[in-house]
Each structure stands twice: as C-alpha cells, then as structure tokens.
C-alpha cells in the first residue's frame, strides 16, 4: 500500500505512465526531462518532480529520466504487474459500457463479472463477461478474492450496494453514483461524478 | 468565470451541493456547520471552510451556514440556474449511456445530441437525443451556441476529435479517452480516465 503519497499525486501517476507509454520508442526519447513531461501535461515542473520522486526512479541532472526505467518504476508503484480482479454492480448502460471496455488491462485489472437485480439481465453476457444476480455477490467475490468494485447503479441504490460490497470483502470502490457513500474509513472510495465534473467545466467558462 | 478558485476546491463544490441537497428538510438541518459537512464527506474542517469561503455564503460562529443559503450560493457559483447545452462525441456504449443519463439536469445542463462516424448509428435516437454524423458538428454547435462537449471515443481518435470540437467553438471538454489532449490552453479539459482511477484504487490496497 502506498501510504505516504498524497492522493492527488497518486492520481497523477497513471497520467505520467499513459503519456510515457504513448511516446515513440525513438533514440531521442530515451531520456525525458521533468520539464518536457510538465510541458506536455500542462503541469508545473516542480510538481512533476515531486510526484515522480515517490517512485523508485531517480532523474539525472540536465537529462532527466530514462524513459523505460521511469515506466517500469511507475508500473511497479501502481502494482500493474500484479494481476487484479474487479467486479461491476449495475449492468445498465454505463455498467455494460464498462464491461466492454478493454482499457483496464493496461493496468493489470480484469473485470470478472457484473451484478444486477434485473431478472432479464441475469444469466446473460456482455463482452463475454457474465451478469449475475446480487445473490451471487458474496460467492463470486470470495472465490476469486475480488477486492475492487465499480458501482454503476442509480444514486438511490448506491449506499445499499456499497454495504453489500463491503460485506462481500470489497476493499476499494470506484463510485459512479452521484452520492457520497458512507462506509468504514478503511474502505477506499473514488467518486466519478460525471455530471458534477461537467458542471465544474461549465462554471470555468 | 471562476478565475481565482483552485481547481481542486472547485471540484469539491458539487460534492458539497450534492450532500446538502440530500439532507432532509427538517428544522434541525436548517443550520449546518462546517464540522458536520467535513465529517459527512470525510474532509478536513479547515478545507471545507476554505472551499465554501469562495461562495457568497458566510457561516455564523457556533451554528454554521443556513442550509438553503449555502445551497443557493453553491448553485450560483456553479452557474446552475444558467441553462447550458452540451454534446457528446462517440455513440458507443459509454456515449449512449451518457445520452440516457438524467443527472446532468441537476446542474442545469442538457445534452443536445451525440455525434458518431458510424453510418448505422447516424440518424438514430438514444433517449430521444439524435445521433448525427461528424459533418453536422459545426452546424449543431454553432446554432445552439454549444460550448461544452464530452469525448467518448477510443484513445486513438480523441485528439482529432478534440481539434474538431475546438474548431466548432467548444470551450470545455470532459475527456473519457485515456489520452492527454493537446489543445490551446484557453480550452478547459477535465480527464475522466476510468481505468486509471481503478488502478489508483488498487494501488492503495
């Protein structure tokens, strides 16, 4: 567990990783400076250096970081080589879109299954992933030692689902429902409120 | 435009608003203290007070804020009573889920339409919202003075789409593609990288 890194620094690490991965593997990109990263990502250079200092990769004066080493250090810090399973609760539009999304594998995460209370969805598959009834939640999570979950249900159902997830052994929740979850403080939660973020953007204009 | 508020404070304002809106309208909730808000949202009390100080609502010593006044001040700050239109590019699983999502109206935002390059989708409707071809982008955005857009296309297409959006007059982009967009710095961008956030959660365990 990355205890000592502030959450905002931690949330930027995948951004650095993504950016470094997209750079062409030319000789000229062998080294990359914190200044170049900062400019590309529109962040302050000091901030970038501070963030990257949490990883095991150290930059060299004047030239910066060895790109491959920095990628490896970020992958190590984010435990990407450590395969993990996740589940989704809610197989509506968003849940189904996430079931079909391939991007999780870039971080070593596999979505195992989704859960829903709709009898018409239970027993069907989306992108080869099964949709189970909520009564299977405990069994599936415990069998595969799943600790990661995505909540993709309406706001009114989210708190009840969160409690069921915690009871099933889930330790971290990515919450798309526009509601603050009340769970034990050991449970990690990141909120992805789409409408709120669009409202924030609108207020910046 | 809210120039002087840090982005992280701005991003918490909808969280406060959401929370205050969910409180029952009982007499006992007429006043709410920064401490109570902080505890419910698991934030520091000083942070909450600093964030809320950006709005026009001032708390009273010992008792806190008048709940209704604070809601109104947050709505005003977030320009929620000012109706705005947004469009979505990409009518795949995620884009369609967002077209059908009703939560934007809580922030005064209406999704007008989606755009896609797939001939089978063009001319169809999702949740009564039309899906147009990309050739209609300029016309639709300019006619309705749309300045907000959501990118819900694969990473490989996102940069090209961002450039088309800017050319069509879009000023702010909510980007779901896991890629850093290179656009003029006057254009506001918030990234919603689902996989990266799930990876961050996993690394916290």
């Amino acid at each position: 567990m990355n205890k000592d890194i502030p959450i905002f620094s931690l949330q930027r690490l995948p951004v650095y990783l993504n950016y470094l991965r997209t750079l062409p593997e030319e000789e000229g990109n062998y080294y990359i400076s914190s200044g170049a990263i900062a400019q590309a990502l529109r962040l302050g250079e000091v901030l970038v250096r501070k963030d990257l200092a949490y990883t095991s990769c150290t930059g060299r004066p004047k030239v910066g970081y060895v790109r491959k080493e920095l990628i490896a250090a970020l992958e190590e810090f984010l435990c990407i080589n450590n395969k993990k399973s996740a589940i989704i609760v809610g197989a509506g539009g968003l849940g189904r879109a996430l079931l079909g999304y391939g991007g999780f594998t870039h971080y070593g995460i596999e979505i195992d299954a989704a859960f829903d209370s709709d009898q018409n969805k239970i027993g069907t598959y989306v992108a080869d992933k099964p949709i189970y009834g909520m009564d299977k939640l405990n069994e599936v999570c415990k069998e595969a030692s799943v600790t990661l979950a995505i909540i993709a249900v309406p706001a009114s159902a989210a708190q009840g689902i969160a409690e069921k997830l915690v009871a099933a052994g889930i330790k971290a929740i990515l919450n798309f429902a526009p509601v603050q979850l009340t769970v034990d403080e050991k449970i990690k939660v990141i909120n992805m409120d789409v409408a709120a973020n669009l409202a924030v953007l609108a207020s910046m204009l």
Side-chain angles (χ1 to χ4, degrees), chain A residues 81-103:
Chain A
N81 302 318
N82 192 348
K83 301 280 171 225
K84 292 158 294 275
S85 290
I87 53 123
I88 298 173
V89 182
L94 177 63
R96 300 169 85 85
L98 295 173
L99 275 177
Y101 178 56

Side-chain angles (χ1 to χ4, degrees), chain A residues 62-114:
Chain A
K62 311 263 184 193
V63 288
Y65 306 88
V66 177
R67 176 176 160 270
K68 276 188 185 168
E69 284 179 16
L70 187 51
I71 288 177
L74 285 163
E75 287 179 344
E76 188 201 351
F77 198 92
L78 292 167
C79 314
I80 282 172
N81 302 318
N82 192 348
K83 301 280 171 225
K84 292 158 294 275
S85 290
I87 53 123
I88 298 173
V89 182
L94 177 63
R96 300 169 85 85
L98 295 173
L99 275 177
Y101 178 56
F104 297 109
T105 56
H106 297 305
Y107 296 99
I109 299 170
E110 184 80 34
I111 306 291
D112 278 5

Side-chain angles (χ1 to χ4, degrees), chain A residues 156-172:
Chain A
S156 57
Q159 178 62 34
I161 295 295
E163 289 165 18
K164 284 185 180 144
L165 288 170
V166 172
I170 292 296
K171 305 285 183 221

Side-chain angles (χ1 to χ4, degrees), chain A residues 180-200:
Chain A
Q180 197 68 23
L181 302 175
T182 306
V183 286
D184 186 283
E185 59 186 30
K186 280 181 297 194
I187 309 297
K188 310 292 177 189
V189 178
I190 292 181
N191 293 304
M192 299 280 281
D193 188 331
V194 182
N197 276 286
L198 199 58
V200 163

Side-chain angles (χ1 to χ4, degrees), chain A residues 4 7-8 16 24 27 41 46 62 65 70 75 104 110 120 136 139 146 152 163 167 195 198:
Chain A
D4 298 327
I7 176 74
F8 295 121
Y16 300 127
E27 210 164 327
L41 302 179
V46 174
K62 311 263 184 193
Y65 306 88
L70 187 51
E75 287 179 344
F104 297 109
E110 184 80 34
N120 293 318
K136 287 267 191 188
E139 187 188 326
V146 181
E163 289 165 18
L198 199 58

Side-chain angles (χ1 to χ4, degrees), chain A residues 108-123:
Chain A
I109 299 170
E110 184 80 34
I111 306 291
D112 278 5
F115 295 84
D116 205 288
S117 54
D118 181 347
Q119 291 298 331
N120 293 318
K121 290 175 183 161
I122 295 168

